[in-house]
Amino acid sequence: MTIAPVQRTAPPASTAWTDAKLILALEEVVEGELNRHLKVAKEWMPHEYVPWSQGRDFDGVLGGEAWAPEQSKVTPLARISLVVNLLTEDNLPSYHHEIATMFGREGAWGTWVHRWTAEEGRHGIAIRDYLLATRAVDPVELERARMAHMSEGFESDNAHSMLHSVAYVAFQELATRIAHRNTGHHSGDPLCDQLLAKIANDENLHMVFYRNLLKAALEIAPDEAMNAITEVVTNFRMPGHGMPGFERSAAQIAIGGVYNLRIHHDDVLQPVLRHLKVLETTGLGGSGQQAQEQLGAFLDGLDAQATKFDERQAALLARRAAAAAAKA
Ligand SMILES: [Fe+2]
Ligand SMILES: [Fe+2]
């Protein structure tokens, strides 16, 4: 893809970074990352992953068979998790609004914003088609939850800052990748696992794009980027946090091992932080060093909390297994 060269002007050293200056300074990196992304992102067809032969008419307008829980072949945990993942994907119009407002619609940034939106759109389509064709979840409940969730919209916690926004999406795309992948592994249906692995691969490429952008930000504005990373990591919330029943679903998803503190620490935060050498970076100013220390202390605390969670989870699962054995 060819994009018109952007006139870049480096800000004078005495001038503090603003979002507008950072967006301009990162434009060339965005163009390079966009071109790399377009080379590695292989076209794929969501319809090929949906077992349409399992589908049939529902009750209502077409007079087919109403949905019933016993029709679902996926595990109860996957039913909860698939709905959370789909509703999260469904809120794409709001995410598009947030990132188009922050990054703009022009030049390489704009091309990325639209391309990313198109790729994300495929995820909701594919998961919904799979759920309806296989009767994995209650379609009426799903539609009502989608209406409720999208009617609330999504407001980014990081709309005040370009660096916070980039830091957030770097972690969030990896969190989404892991949530899809683990949902597939726990689904009990190889076709579901195959579809979610494909989607997880897209999310991984999104993470790589934003992570590389964050790397460039750490180089050009180290103190500002370090502060943004620390604030984002210490206040991280999943994008679907506003959906109906999120807390309850999140608790079950945590116990079931799809996404919990241990996974968040080990498989989401640490890989990005390690890759960027965030905790080892030197040459920071006073505020950057302070943020780096704060981040290190936070991660130690999170690790300890995750260990406590692991112990509670193991005890709960052992009790459940004992209860199931006593019944049998
Ligand atoms: Fe997605
Ligand atoms: Fe994504």
Side-chain angles (χ1 to χ4, degrees):
M1 168 167 297
T2 315
I3 291 161
V6 171
Q7 295 298 320
R8 292 177 66 215
T9 41
S14 58
T15 312
W17 285 103
T18 61
D19 283 357
K21 283 176 188 162
L22 282 162
I23 283 173
L24 199 60
L26 287 169
E27 175 101 26
E28 209 171 273
V29 181
V30 170
E31 183 176 342
E33 284 303 311
L34 173 65
N35 287 330
R36 187 195 50 72
H37 175 84
L38 293 175
K39 275 199 199 102
V40 293
K42 299 258 181 330
E43 181 186 48
W44 65 277
M45 295 294 154
H47 70 272
E48 293 176 11
Y49 288 78
V50 178
W52 298 103
S53 60
Q54 294 182 24
R56 58 192 188 279
D57 296 348
F58 284 102
D59 57 329
V61 180
L62 299 183
E65 193 189 347
W67 184 83
E70 58 274 14
Q71 294 163 359
S72 177
K73 288 192 299 194
V74 296
T75 60
L77 171 63
R79 258 182 261 166
I80 296 165
S81 191
L82 279 159
V83 169
V84 169
N85 293 2
L86 175 54
L87 295 180
T88 302
E89 297 283 354
D90 276 340
N91 236 353
L92 180 59
S94 273
Y95 309 143
H96 172 83
H97 176 268
E98 294 292 294
I99 70 161
T101 306
M102 174 55 73
F103 299 148
R105 294 183 193 86
E106 290 84 39
W109 279 107
T111 307
W112 166 256
V113 165
H114 289 113
R115 168 75 195 208
W116 173 87
T117 304
E119 290 185 10
E120 289 292 353
R122 190 158 55 191
H123 301 166
I125 292 168
I127 297 174
R128 177 164 282 96
D129 285 348
Y130 167 83
L131 292 180
L132 296 181
T134 63
R135 294 186 172 235
V137 300
D138 183 339
V140 175
E141 248 184 55
L142 178 65
E143 176 61 4
R144 288 183 181 146
R146 185 190 67 80
M147 284 298 293
H149 187 45
M150 289 188 74
S151 299
E152 288 294 316
F154 169 83
E155 229 178 295
S156 166
D157 293 333
N158 303 294
H160 62 288
S161 152
M162 141 83 189
L163 287 175
H164 287 68
S165 299
V166 171
Y168 178 74
V169 287
F171 295 109
Q172 174 269 319
E173 291 284 0
L174 185 52
T176 311
R177 174 203 181 189
I178 299 293
H180 283 310
R181 196 196 65 184
N182 289 352
T183 300
H185 290 173
H186 284 85
S187 68
D189 178 5
L191 295 181
C192 180
D193 194 23
Q194 176 174 261
L195 168 64
L196 294 184
K198 194 72 191 165
I199 293 174
N201 189 50
D202 280 1
E203 309 294 18
N204 194 49
L205 294 181
H206 298 161
M207 177 278 288
V208 170
F209 178 93
Y210 287 123
R211 186 193 65 193
N212 292 353
L213 210 53
L214 191 54
K215 183 173 194 272
L218 272 165
E219 283 159 16
I220 64 169
D223 288 321
E224 290 84 349
M226 186 62 71
N227 273 285
I229 291 170
T230 298
E231 278 173 35
V232 162
V233 168
T234 53
N235 295 296
F236 189 88
R237 299 196 286 176
M238 290 296 259
H241 61 81
M243 74 181 58
F246 179 76
E247 299 299 328
R248 201 180 135 74
S249 296
Q252 285 163 293
I253 285 167
I255 290 293
V258 168
Y259 201 95
N260 55 38
L261 276 186
R262 173 54 60 207
I263 292 167
H264 184 61
H265 177 274
D266 290 4
D267 300 343
V268 175
L269 298 180
Q270 288 292 2
V272 173
L273 295 170
R274 264 201 308 267
H275 184 90
L276 297 177
K277 301 189 169 54
V278 171
L279 293 174
E280 298 93 69
T281 295
T282 53
L284 294 164
S287 102
Q289 274 175 25
Q290 219 179 344
Q292 192 181 38
E293 279 164 28
Q294 194 193 337
L295 180 62
F298 174 83
L299 290 168
D300 289 344
L302 189 67
D303 192 25
Q305 252 181 292
T307 301
K308 276 192 195 139
F309 170 84
D310 292 343
E311 289 161 7
R312 281 204 308 274
Q313 183 196 31
L316 181 71
L317 294 179
R319 279 203 304 279
R320 277 187 193 169
K327 252 192 212 170

